[in-house]
């Protein structure tokens, strides 16, 4: 009597029945692959003047928002938190006094 081979037969790959490979056999898309857009939705470029205007506005918007935040912060800090008159923020004497307090020896 010969010993029987104890190895299990190799598993056959699963298929969907229509001849196409199973999802486990399908090739994955590369991470940087972009889907092709339909031909009917061709992307139109904006006019040059509009692109230039939007770029200038984006370039100016960040510094303007920072300046606005600074002004609001100074007004709230001096007027609301400090309990002083909001109009005194614009006085040069206020800023001279602050400078002397910070850099006094």
């Amino acid at each position: 009597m010969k010993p029987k081979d104890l190895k299990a037969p190799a598993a056959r790959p699963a298929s969907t029945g229509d001849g196409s490979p199973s999802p486990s056999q399908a090739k994955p898309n590369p991470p940087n692959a972009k889907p092709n857009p339909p031909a009917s939705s061709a992307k139109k470029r904006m006019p040059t003047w509009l692109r230039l205007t939007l770029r200038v506005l984006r370039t100016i918007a960040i510094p303007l928002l920072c300046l606005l935040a600074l002004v609001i912060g100074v007004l709230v800090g001096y007027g609301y938190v400090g309990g002083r008159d909001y109009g005194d923020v614009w006085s040069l004497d206020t800023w001279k006094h602050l400078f002397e307090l910070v850099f006094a020896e």
Side-chain angles (χ1 to χ4, degrees):
M1 221 174 162
K2 293 183 178 180
K4 291 185 177 181
D5 189 17
L6 298 177
K7 284 178 126 181
R12 296 176 61 198
S15 67
T16 57
D18 59 358
S20 62
S22 67
S24 63
Q25 293 175 341
K27 293 181 182 177
N29 289 337
N32 57 359
K34 295 180 183 175
N36 293 333
S40 63
S41 65
K43 190 175 182 181
K44 294 182 180 180
R45 290 188 63 138
M46 289 189 286
T48 306
W49 66 270
L50 182 60
R51 282 189 289 132
L52 183 64
T53 304
L54 290 174
R55 179 170 283 176
V56 168
L57 286 176
R58 279 182 279 189
T59 304
I60 292 174
I62 298 299
L64 284 179
L65 288 174
C66 289
L67 184 64
L68 181 67
L70 177 69
V71 168
I72 291 173
V74 166
L75 287 172
V76 168
Y78 191 78
Y80 183 73
V81 175
R84 307 285 181 154
D85 184 26
Y86 291 104
D88 288 344
V89 169
W90 309 116
S91 173
L92 186 60
D93 292 334
T94 301
W95 292 102
K96 284 181 182 177
H97 179 68
L98 179 68
F99 185 81
E100 289 172 358
L101 287 173
V102 171
F103 295 106
E105 291 185 25

